[in-house]
Amino acid sequence: MKNWKSVLIGFAAGTMCMATTPAFAGIYKAVQAQLMPDVLFDIDGKVVGSPSNQPVVNYNGYIYVPIRFIADSLDCEIAFDPVTKRVKIVSPEPEVIEKVVEKEIEKIVYVDQSDDPDYVVYNKLPVTVYRDGYKIALRTIMMDDKDGGGKKRTRTYLTVENTDISKVSLMPYDAKLTLDGVEYDVSTSGGGRWEDNWDETIRKEEEKEGYLLFDGVDYDYSKGTLEFQMRVNDDSGDTIEDIRIDFKK
């Protein structure tokens, strides 16, 4: 399309000669040219010839084409101003084509475990559980024999952050750890069962770190669940909330 526009401008002089009215004939030099009615035009893949009243002219070795015919073929508007001797060509407005792209979007469905207890999502550590006003992160799990005279134990390291509530506290007494279906209770002998006095209050914008200690160990576990309770006070009284964290290696 751009090549044709260049041709139109380049041959405007020839067209003005052919379009000149008799009033201007006296001021222009007469020339001899050869009509070429067998010239065809390939316009956007369509081969056509110009009308008989708009011939192609060969003058002095150059081909002059009928600019009105070309402009009409390209859906351009054309006009000649005899006063300013100017040929005006206006290209059509580009056609805007709207393309609808259909994109398949993966739909993620969150299932409430309380509604379907058999459906569990196990995430790699660390795993964070968010509740209204606070969050709990299970950072890592370690197996050791540091307590209880060489007896193997499992430590679960936690972080509790109070983001926007009066106070919370972790209740470790009845905590339970399950690894590949085997349950481990909080250790009751051979040293502390937890550190940092988890049952102490964690106030707004405070954070506490520590571990819970369980009897038994399974080095080759693939997935597990840690369960315990939180005491929550939002200035309207204490409530107890059950926490469950499902994780995998």
Side-chain angles (χ1 to χ4, degrees):
M1 185 68 73
K2 291 183 178 179
N3 291 336
W4 276 113
K5 291 181 179 178
S6 299
V7 171
L8 297 179
I9 296 173
F11 293 121
T15 303
M16 287 190 289
C17 291
M18 292 184 287
T20 305
T21 62
F24 295 94
I27 65 174
Y28 294 118
K29 179 181 177 181
V31 298
Q32 289 185 346
Q34 182 182 7
L35 298 179
M36 302 183 68
D38 57 343
V39 173
L40 298 176
F41 297 85
D42 188 337
I43 302 177
D44 292 337
K46 183 179 180 181
V47 178
V48 293
S50 64
S52 58
N53 63 340
Q54 299 183 48
V56 177
V57 175
N58 185 337
Y59 167 66
N60 199 25
Y62 291 92
I63 301 297
Y64 290 78
V65 300
I67 194 170
R68 180 169 295 281
F69 164 71
I70 298 300
D72 290 341
S73 300
L74 299 177
D75 294 327
C76 296
E77 295 182 5
I78 184 170
F80 176 66
D81 187 342
V83 177
T84 61
K85 302 180 182 62
R86 180 177 298 176
V87 177
K88 183 178 180 182
I89 304 170
V90 180
S91 300
E93 292 291 332
E95 181 181 1
V96 178
I97 301 176
E98 294 185 1
K99 184 178 181 181
V100 179
V101 179
E102 293 184 0
K103 183 178 180 181
E104 184 176 352
I105 301 177
E106 180 182 1
K107 183 178 182 181
I108 302 176
V109 179
Y110 294 92
V111 179
D112 188 343
Q113 293 180 352
S114 63
D115 294 337
D116 185 359
D118 296 328
Y119 185 90
V120 180
V121 176
Y122 295 92
N123 297 293
K124 279 191 173 184
L125 296 173
V127 179
T128 302
V129 174
Y130 295 88
R131 291 297 179 94
D132 290 339
Y134 68 98
K135 60 183 179 180
I136 303 169
L138 174 58
R139 304 195 315 273
T140 187
I141 294 179
M142 296 181 61
M143 317 310 184
D144 62 44
D145 57 358
K146 294 181 180 179
D147 297 320
K151 185 177 181 179
K152 299 292 185 180
R153 299 182 188 277
T154 301
R155 296 170 183 261
T156 59
Y157 287 86
L158 298 161
T159 299
V160 178
E161 181 180 355
N162 186 346
T163 57
D164 190 28
I165 201 168
S166 178
K167 52 189 176 181
V168 297
S169 59
L170 189 149
M171 303 171 62
Y173 321 108
D174 297 321
K176 182 174 66 176
L177 176 68
T178 303
L179 299 176
D180 290 336
V182 179
E183 295 185 1
Y184 301 90
D185 293 326
V186 172
S187 178
T188 58
S189 63
R193 295 173 291 173
W194 51 85
E195 64 177 2
D196 290 339
N197 296 318
W198 272 123
D199 50 346
E200 290 185 359
T201 296
I202 306 171
R203 299 189 180 277
K204 184 177 180 180
E205 299 183 354
E206 288 184 347
E207 181 179 301
K208 183 182 289 289
E209 297 180 354
Y211 64 81
L212 295 176
L213 188 65
F214 296 87
D215 288 329
V217 61
D218 183 357
Y219 290 99
D220 299 323
Y221 81 92
S222 59
K223 61 184 180 180
T225 299
L226 177 63
E227 298 173 273
F228 53 89
Q229 292 182 322
M230 295 290 296
R231 186 186 305 276
V232 180
N233 189 310
D234 58 359
D235 294 328
S236 62
D238 288 345
T239 58
I240 305 299
E241 296 185 358
D242 294 323
I243 303 297
R244 171 171 171 159
I245 304 176
D246 298 299
F247 59 91
K248 63 182 179 181
K249 275 190 175 180

